[in-house]
């Protein structure tokens, strides 16, 4: 080491070239370092979810969870199995062994679960997926004194426009109830017309669908036939025919039931500055940068806000990239302060020229580090890389936390899994 330092001391040109190389490469690396508020988390988890609507937790455990456990317990690469039976749904979390191929374990679990033929008829198709880590970057609050249909329509349009930005891949709606068309059948009307509830269910299932009708070949080409009868709106369901009598009269669904075209009855709502609101959450995945995503979303908000209807506001809320930006600014200020103090102390005892060159070693050292960070896949973040361990599948939902802003935000949701 002493010999290398002595060689550079005798060859000032080589030392200056090395310094210029570090300055240029470090500056390039500074703009290529990926910024993320918190580092990526390795989950190595596979989730198996089976909806069993209307079933009690005891029934879900016996009919769903136990059968899944028995079917997958012999799969190679499984470290731990955690099952949770709740009202209307069974969730099985599988923790993969360290070093095992998660995709291979996922395929083996899916094959074994699909081979189970003893599930009750009321259960829906099992959902087998790998749990992937994603980080929430920024939220947009669409609020105003408008009905829920209007707010959700605006939120869906904003979600689609943000999703079309190439640098952003995952955008979701939060605090928004899903659309639902409910059919409330009158028991008195059923008795009057001699029908049962199953008759109405079969008629709706039979009438609201699209059917392929084959093809017709002609000299000009092949014509595909298709019967389009799928109902998508409440008024379309009201017109469905339940019974056709010999005299030509028809009994329609609206004659025996009330069709409500609205939202699912969930204990979920959101308010922003006391006004009804729907959140649009933007997430980061893979090699995406928090700072870049936040900048793109901010530009979008500035362009879109003037085009919204009167009384509707679009506000940035819970910008996680601001935390990273504040830390980077703090680090820059501390670096400049440290450089100044070192130069001042050295200048008191050494020549100004010598004090300057010795102090210059501090930023050059940092730039040398920044030069290596992109190649070593090291990111600029405010946390430590940790391995996530799941204790409860219902804790997968990100908790909405109020940031230090001038806005008052309130959310309520008591139903975790549907």
């Amino acid at each position: 080491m002493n010999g290398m330092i002595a060689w550079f001391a005798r060859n000032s040109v080589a030392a200056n070239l090395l310094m210029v190389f570090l300055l240029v490469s470090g500056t390039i690396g500074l703009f290529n370092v990926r910024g993320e508020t918190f580092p990526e988390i390795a989950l190595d988890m596979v989730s198996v979810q089976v909806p069993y609507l209307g079933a009690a937790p005891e029934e879900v455990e016996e009919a769903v969870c136990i059968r899944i456990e028995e079917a997958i317990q012999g799969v190679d690469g499984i470290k731990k199995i955690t099952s949770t039976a709740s009202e209307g749904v069974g969730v099985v979390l599988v923790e993969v062994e360290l070093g095992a191929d998660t995709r291979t374990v996922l395929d083996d679990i899916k094959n074994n679960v699909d081979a189970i033929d003893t599930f009750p008829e009321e259960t829906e198709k099992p959902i087998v997926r790998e749990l992937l880590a994603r980080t929430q970057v920024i939220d947009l609050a669409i609020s105003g004194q408008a009905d829920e249909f209007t707010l959700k329509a605006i939120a869906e349009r904003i979600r689609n426009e943000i999703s079309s930005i190439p640098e952003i891949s995952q955008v979701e709606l939060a605090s928004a109830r899903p659309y639902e068309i409910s059919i409330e059948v009158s028991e008195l009307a059923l008795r009057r017309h001699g029908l049962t509830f199953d008759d109405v269910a079969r008629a709706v299932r039979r009438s609201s669908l699209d059917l392929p009708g084959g093809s017709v070949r002609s000299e000009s080409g092949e014509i595909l036939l298709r019967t389009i009868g799928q109902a998508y709106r409440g008024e379309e369901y009201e017109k469905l025919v339940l019974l056709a009598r010999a005299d030509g009269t028809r009994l329609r669904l609206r004659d025996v039931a009330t069709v409500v075209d609205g939202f699912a009855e969930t204990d979920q709502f959101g308010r922003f500055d006391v006004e009804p609101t729907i959140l649009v959450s933007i997430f980061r995945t893979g090699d995406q940068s928090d700072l870049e995503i936040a900048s793109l979303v901010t530009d979008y908000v500035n362009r879109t806000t003037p085009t919204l209807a009167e009384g509707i506001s679009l506000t940035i809320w819970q910008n996680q990239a601001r935390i990273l930006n504040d830390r980077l600014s703090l680090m820059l200020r501390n670096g400049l302060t440290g450089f100044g103090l070192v130069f001042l102390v050295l200048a008191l005892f050494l020549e100004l020229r010598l004090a300057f060159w010795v102090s210059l070693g501090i930023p050059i050292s940092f730039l040398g580090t920044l030069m290596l960070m992109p190649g070593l896949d090291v990111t600029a973040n405010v946390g430590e890389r940790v391995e996530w361990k799941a204790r409860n599948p219902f804790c997968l939902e990100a908790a909405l936390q109020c940031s230090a802003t001038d806005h008052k935000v309130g959310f309520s949701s008591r139903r975790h899994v549907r």
Side-chain angles (χ1 to χ4, degrees), residues 240-282:
L240 295 180
V241 178
L242 301 181
L243 185 63
R245 298 186 178 89
D247 57 359
T249 59
R250 294 181 177 183
L251 180 67
R252 301 186 182 274
L253 183 61
R254 61 173 173 242
D255 299 326
V256 299
T258 301
V259 179
V260 180
D261 191 347
F263 297 91
E265 295 182 357
T266 61
D267 299 327
Q268 186 179 25
F269 65 91
R271 292 191 178 275
F272 189 87
D273 282 346
V274 194
E275 295 181 334
T277 185
I278 293 179
L279 284 184
V280 178
S281 298
I282 297 93

Side-chain angles (χ1 to χ4, degrees), residues 87-126:
E87 181 180 354
V89 65
V91 179
V92 179
L93 284 180
V94 179
E95 184 177 347
V96 181
E97 288 278 2
L98 183 64
D101 188 358
T102 306
R103 299 299 303 178
T104 301
V105 177
L106 172 66
D107 294 337
D108 294 340
I109 292 175
K110 182 174 178 57
N111 293 334
N112 289 17
V113 172
D114 291 341
I116 301 176
D117 56 2
T118 56
F119 283 141
E121 295 183 359
E122 294 79 8
T123 59
E124 299 182 9
K125 185 178 180 180

Side-chain angles (χ1 to χ4, degrees), residues 231-416:
Y232 294 98
R233 296 178 176 83
E235 55 268 20
E236 296 175 353
Y237 276 95
E238 292 178 346
K239 298 177 182 178
L240 295 180
V241 178
L242 301 181
L243 185 63
R245 298 186 178 89
D247 57 359
T249 59
R250 294 181 177 183
L251 180 67
R252 301 186 182 274
L253 183 61
R254 61 173 173 242
D255 299 326
V256 299
T258 301
V259 179
V260 180
D261 191 347
F263 297 91
E265 295 182 357
T266 61
D267 299 327
Q268 186 179 25
F269 65 91
R271 292 191 178 275
F272 189 87
D273 282 346
V274 194
E275 295 181 334
T277 185
I278 293 179
L279 284 184
V280 178
S281 298
I282 297 93
F283 298 88
R284 172 186 59 82
T285 58
D287 295 334
Q288 296 175 346
S289 171
D290 288 22
L291 297 177
E292 183 181 7
I293 291 177
S295 177
L296 292 171
V297 173
T298 302
D299 293 339
Y300 171 82
V301 171
N302 294 334
R303 296 193 312 267
T304 307
T305 300
T307 65
L308 296 177
E310 185 178 357
I312 303 298
S313 60
L314 179 61
T315 309
I316 296 177
W317 180 67
Q318 205 165 243
N319 185 1
Q320 300 294 336
R322 186 180 59 183
I323 302 175
L324 176 61
N325 192 45
D326 292 342
R327 290 294 183 91
L328 293 177
S329 300
L330 177 62
M331 183 178 66
L332 180 60
R333 291 196 303 269
N334 291 343
L336 293 176
T337 303
F339 174 81
L341 290 176
V342 171
F343 174 76
L344 180 62
V345 172
L346 292 177
L348 294 176
F349 302 97
L350 302 174
E351 295 181 1
L352 291 179
R353 180 170 172 268
L354 181 60
F356 171 76
W357 285 109
V358 173
S359 303
L360 193 62
I362 297 176
I364 293 177
S365 300
F366 276 99
L367 289 174
T369 302
L370 292 172
M371 175 189 67
L372 299 175
M373 288 177 64
L376 299 177
D377 194 24
V378 178
T379 63
N381 56 71
V382 298
E384 297 179 355
R385 186 175 295 272
V386 296
E387 184 175 354
W388 181 83
K389 302 296 183 181
R391 297 183 179 180
N392 192 321
F394 302 139
C395 293
L396 298 179
E397 295 182 338
L400 292 174
Q401 299 177 351
C402 183
S403 60
T405 64
D406 296 332
H407 300 283
K408 296 180 179 179
V409 185
F411 291 93
S412 174
S413 179
R414 293 191 295 270
R415 185 170 299 179
H416 298 284

